[in-house]
Structure formats: C-alpha cells, structure tokens
Amino acid sequence: MHRATRQIHGHEPPGRPVLRAALAGLAAFAVAVSGAVLLTTGSAAGADAANLLQNAGFESGTLAGWSCTAGSGTAVASPVHSGSYALRATPVGSDDAQCTQQVSVLPDSTYTLSGWVQGDYVYLGDSGTGATDTSTWSSNSAWNQLKTSFTTGAGTTSVTVYLHGWYGTGAYGADDLVLSGPGGTGSPTPTTAPPTTQPPTTPPPTTQPPTSPPPTSPPPTTPAPGGNKHLLTGYWQDFDNGATDQRISDVNPAYDIIAVAFANATTTPGQIAFSLDPTLSSKLGGYTDAQFKADIAAKHAAGKKVVLSVGGQNGTVSVSDSASAAAFASSAYALIQQYGFDGVDIDLENGVNSSYLSQALHSLASRVGSGFVLTMAPQTIDMQSTGMEYFKLALATKDILTIVNTQYYNSGSMNGCDGNVYAEGNENFLTALACIQLQGGLAPSQVGIGVPASTSAAGSGYVSPSVVDNALDCLASGSNCGSFKPPTTWPGIGGAMTWSTNWDAGNGNSIATSVGGHLHGMP
C-alpha cells in the first residue's frame, strides 16, 4: 500500500499505477476460524430436500430470504454455477459485501453448511450457534465448493448463515447453498450480524506448483550497509506527485538502503524495465541518466545500498512459470549492470507466486554475487501467516534475503501474533504484527517496520517517529512497550522503512533524523 497523495504506498505515481485499494477492515474483527476448506470442481449441487435455506440458489431472481449490506449484492444471470441465477456481491474499501440469512434450528443438533463460490477471498460461515461458530473460505476464480459443519447449543433455536468477500478485492459469486439438518419449529430469532472473518492461518489449496522447503542456510553475512546493525530503508520516487522532488544525491544520509520506485512490466511476461521519469527529470532541471548513475555510485562510496523496486500498488509484473522467471532474472540483472543497483526490492501488491519468483531471485542473486541485496515490502495481509504466498516467498529466499519491511499502514485492523485484533496507527499494531514474522521463521535481522513518512504519504496508519522508536525498543529489549508485550525479545531486529524519502524531506526529515538516529544508536 505504498501511498502518498496520488502516490500512496501501494506506491503509485500519477500516470503510472495510482492509489492502491487498501485491504482495510474498519471495524475490529476476530473469529476463530474452524472447519476445513473443501475445493472441488464437480457438477452442480443436487437439490437437497432437507435444505433449510430459502432461495438457496437465488432462482427467484432476487435476494428474497437474504439480507445483504446496502447495495452490495444482487441476483445475476451470469456467472452461475447451476440454474438461472446466482448471487453476485462486490466488497468495497469499508464493506466486505456480507449477505446473511437467519434459519430456525433445533438445540443440540448437528448441521452441514455448503455452497459453491468463486472469487478472491470468499467466506461461508455460521454465527449464533450457541457453541462453536465455524467458517471456511477460498480464493479461486473458478467455481469451487466450500463446506463446514456445526452443532447447536442447548438453548439455540436459530442461527445466522453468512457469505462475504474481502475489502476491496473484487466481486464474488455464490450459488447452490445448502444447510442440511433438522428444521426448527419456530420463526428464526433475529441475531446480531456475524463478525467478519480474516484469512485463516492455513490457506486453501492452490493450483500453483508446490514450494520447496525453506532453505536452512543462515542469512547472508554481507556486512550491513554503512556498517549499521539496524537498517533504515527509504523509497525514492521516480515521479512527481506533490512530494519533494529529489535526486538520489538529495536523499538524507541516514538512509542505509534506498529503493528506487519503480521498475515496470514490459510486454514480455516477467521482464522488467526502468527509465527516469521525464517529468521528474524536468522538475529537477534536467536529471540525466549519467547524473543518476553518478549519484548511485556516490551513495555506494558512502556505504549505502541502492536497489530497484519492482511493482508498487498496481504493478503488473508476473512471474508464474520458468520462462517468466528467467525473463525476470535476465532483465533485472541487465538493469543492475546498467545503473549500478545493488539488488531488487519486491513490492508486488497484486499477488506473487512464491515458487517461480524465488527461482527467479535465486538466479539473479547467483549472477550478482555476494553483494546482492534483496528487500521486500509486503502488505500486512500478506504476512498474517506462513501459509500465504508472500510469507512463503520470504522464507523460500531466506538464504539471500536482506530484510522484509512490511507496510504497517493502509490496512485497517489485523490479527497480532497473540491472536488478538489490533487497530493500525499505534505501537501495539507495529509490535504485535511484526511478532508474527519473528515467530514465523525469519531471522530478526530480516524483519523491519514499514511506516509512512507523513500523513500525506498514506491513507491511514501514520504514527509519529517516537512511536516507531518505542516499537523498535519493545521488540529488541522489551522496553517502551504498549499494552502488547512480546513473549520474548529480538535484539537483532532488522530496522524500519518509510514511504518515502520524498515525503520525509517534506516533513522535516523526521524519519531520517529520529528513527534513523535511533536505529543507528541501538546496540
């Protein structure tokens, strides 16, 4: 979510990718996700005489029997799984497009809930069971079946069945829903709306090739930039969007790693290209390739590293097979050779394939050699569990990975490592979410805290530099913690990142001065 006015980390320039849609939950949510996810591709679900749901296949051509959040759902003639109609619902930034139906049930009884769905992050679940509420989910463009079961409590006479998507991720479809079990004897008792679920810790099966086990070799032993144990990373904007226009030479010397944003996709899958933005060059009085290369060389002389960031909010670089992996490695190496970059930053915010991208990055690292620098900037939702593709990518490249600076902003509330839900924009959010990666297999030196440089640099989640300093202390030594205190400490915590050096310059270089100074003074 690299954002800034027009360029909000979701990292997007005007005229290039623009504002990224945040996967933001505006309300706190926490649901114990249970029940297995079953994905199949069989034929239409047969009619079930014991189906307790009304209008279960939406064949009335309406939402009769269902209640959907305002304007989010409708019955459509296409796409459908079977019959003439299906549900189509569209989440937005602050609405997950939830549709519910209340059903009369019997106490102490077992029920099976199933349905056919399609789309990114589609959830099917039950609430108000009086026992353990269950839910299941998938992310699949093809129709696939979700199925779960639950048992009602001793006093339960009605439950709520629900469907929903994920904030801002596109429309989902649902069809041929079935709730089987003994029917209740009365009218359903209204219940409160079911809570929204988060992606469970174990993701649904995918059609991607299996990822090889994470390498067991230790992190690279290449000396840290400038000799600093804890690193400050900043993105440099290769475009003009209202932030302070900078040459590389203008970037505050407190930044140990400078990520040039961005490389772009070409018409060849996996291949990337880069060139200085002509508008920015003009604003800077004619910033040439030769000056840009000389500035990178000067940063090297000062002990700094400069990497080329790939992607951004709407970056379309896709590495999904061996051919595109080879194209990525070859084109990235050519740009490294051309400009003097030390490596690459992976900021792909529209999905990654951990198998093939790790293949590409290992190929690239072998060409560059021991000085190769690899950084990443996943969104918070990408690092909620080790089963998610971005997290798998980080683990699969652990042997060549310098640091992962997760974007702790533009995300809404998220689960921390203790299972509790934390709202963004405070120290607890930073520490409880960083703890997930620290417990998930990354070396402490490979975990960084990503924050916006000012309120203009992100849509939400800005915190003052002092909050970042406190979070680093909390993770490193257990001091200056908020209400969340991690179960252990990680003195070797990697550092911090900001979007962007340009926005920081316009805000008095507060990140460089405060956070950079704090990092470099930590033992």
Side-chain angles (χ1 to χ4, degrees):
M1 295 184 185
H2 283 146
R3 310 184 69 172
T5 327
R6 298 287 295 167
Q7 164 59 32
I8 300 196
H9 196 133
H11 292 153
E12 301 322 320
R16 294 191 184 180
V18 269
L19 305 181
R20 110 180 239 299
L23 296 173
L26 297 185
F29 49 85
V31 170
V33 180
S34 59
V37 180
L38 303 182
L39 302 182
T40 65
T41 54
S43 59
D48 187 335
N51 194 353
L52 303 180
L53 294 172
Q54 302 175 45
N55 197 21
F58 304 92
E59 292 305 302
S60 67
T62 70
L63 298 181
W66 296 89
S67 176
C68 298
T69 52
S72 64
T74 186
V76 296
S78 178
V80 300
H81 176 251
S82 72
S84 300
Y85 292 95
L87 171 69
R88 195 72 173 167
T90 305
V92 294
S94 59
D95 179 13
D96 60 4
Q98 184 166 253
C99 296
T100 63
Q101 184 172 144
Q102 294 169 351
V103 185
S104 179
V105 294
L106 293 179
D108 296 317
S109 301
T110 299
Y111 294 84
T112 299
L113 174 64
S114 65
W116 289 81
V117 300
Q118 65 166 190
D120 291 337
Y121 296 118
V122 190
Y123 298 79
L124 174 67
D126 45 78
S127 179
T129 62
T132 301
D133 297 343
T134 67
S135 75
T136 180
W137 72 293
S138 70
S139 182
N140 197 323
S141 60
W143 286 103
N144 59 98
Q145 191 181 36
L146 297 180
K147 189 173 183 180
T148 187
S149 61
F150 61 90
T151 299
T152 54
T156 302
T157 57
S158 70
V159 299
T160 299
V161 169
Y162 64 86
L163 288 152
H164 68 76
W166 188 258
Y167 304 96
T169 56
Y172 71 87
D175 203 357
D176 299 318
L177 293 139
V178 176
L179 178 63
S180 57
T185 56
S187 299
T189 301
T191 60
T192 57
T196 330
T197 55
Q198 265 191 291
T201 54
T202 302
T206 70
T207 56
Q208 295 173 336
T211 304
S212 56
T216 56
S217 54
T221 56
T222 304
N228 292 318
K229 180 179 179 180
H230 309 281
L231 307 176
L232 181 63
T233 301
Y235 283 83
W236 175 84
Q237 300 177 186
D238 178 38
F239 47 86
D240 171 65
N241 71 336
T244 301
D245 293 323
Q246 292 183 316
R247 298 168 182 259
I248 293 292
S249 57
D250 297 326
V251 175
N252 192 287
Y255 287 98
D256 302 294
I257 300 176
I258 301 166
V260 172
F262 297 98
N264 294 311
T266 71
T267 56
T268 300
Q271 187 180 72
I272 61 173
F274 172 80
S275 61
L276 284 173
D277 180 74
T279 301
L280 174 65
S281 176
S282 176
K283 291 270 189 178
L284 293 171
Y287 193 29
T288 66
D289 271 7
Q291 292 169 329
F292 179 69
K293 294 175 186 177
D295 284 350
I296 292 175
K299 286 295 183 182
H300 288 159
K304 311 301 181 181
K305 301 295 183 181
V306 183
V307 297
L308 179 60
S309 184
V310 180
Q313 172 196 326
N314 291 334
T316 57
V317 178
S318 176
V319 179
S320 57
D321 54 28
S322 294
S324 56
F328 179 93
S330 296
S331 58
Y333 183 65
L335 291 170
I336 287 171
Q337 293 292 99
Q338 179 181 355
Y339 291 99
F341 297 121
D342 296 284
V344 293
D345 168 73
I346 303 301
D347 184 18
L348 295 171
E349 302 184 6
N350 293 281
V352 298
N353 181 310
S354 60
S355 296
Y356 287 113
L357 189 50
S358 64
Q359 175 183 315
L361 291 169
H362 277 102
S363 174
L364 177 60
S366 68
R367 299 188 197 190
V368 175
S370 59
F372 179 68
V373 175
L374 172 61
T375 64
M376 298 182 186
Q379 301 164 92
T380 51
I381 196 171
D382 294 323
M383 302 299 284
Q384 282 278 283
S385 82
T386 56
M388 293 180 170
E389 282 299 294
Y390 225 124
F391 211 139
K392 289 196 291 183
L393 174 64
L395 293 173
T397 56
K398 185 176 176 180
D399 57 322
I400 56 171
L401 177 64
T402 305
I403 194 166
V404 176
N405 293 299
T406 302
Q407 302 174 37
Y408 292 124
Y409 46 97
N410 295 336
S411 63
S413 299
M414 288 285 164
N415 279 353
C417 64
D418 58 354
N420 292 324
V421 176
Y422 293 92
E424 66 178 338
N426 56 63
E427 182 184 349
N428 290 336
F429 187 79
L430 303 179
T431 52
L433 269 69
C435 173
I436 296 174
Q437 296 168 58
L438 291 160
Q439 292 181 339
L442 293 180
S445 64
Q446 295 174 321
V447 177
I449 296 173
V451 296
S454 69
T455 54
S456 299
S460 62
Y462 172 76
V463 295
S464 69
S466 62
V467 172
V468 183
D469 295 345
N470 287 342
L472 290 166
D473 288 342
C474 180
L475 294 169
S477 64
S479 62
N480 297 325
C481 294
S483 59
F484 170 80
K485 187 166 184 176
T488 187
T489 58
W490 300 275
I493 187 71
M497 171 274 286
T498 196
W499 178 264
S500 60
T501 65
N502 308 74
W503 287 111
D504 192 28
N507 196 35
N509 281 307
S510 60
I511 295 292
T513 303
S514 178
V515 179
H518 189 78
L519 279 169
H520 299 156
M522 291 173 64

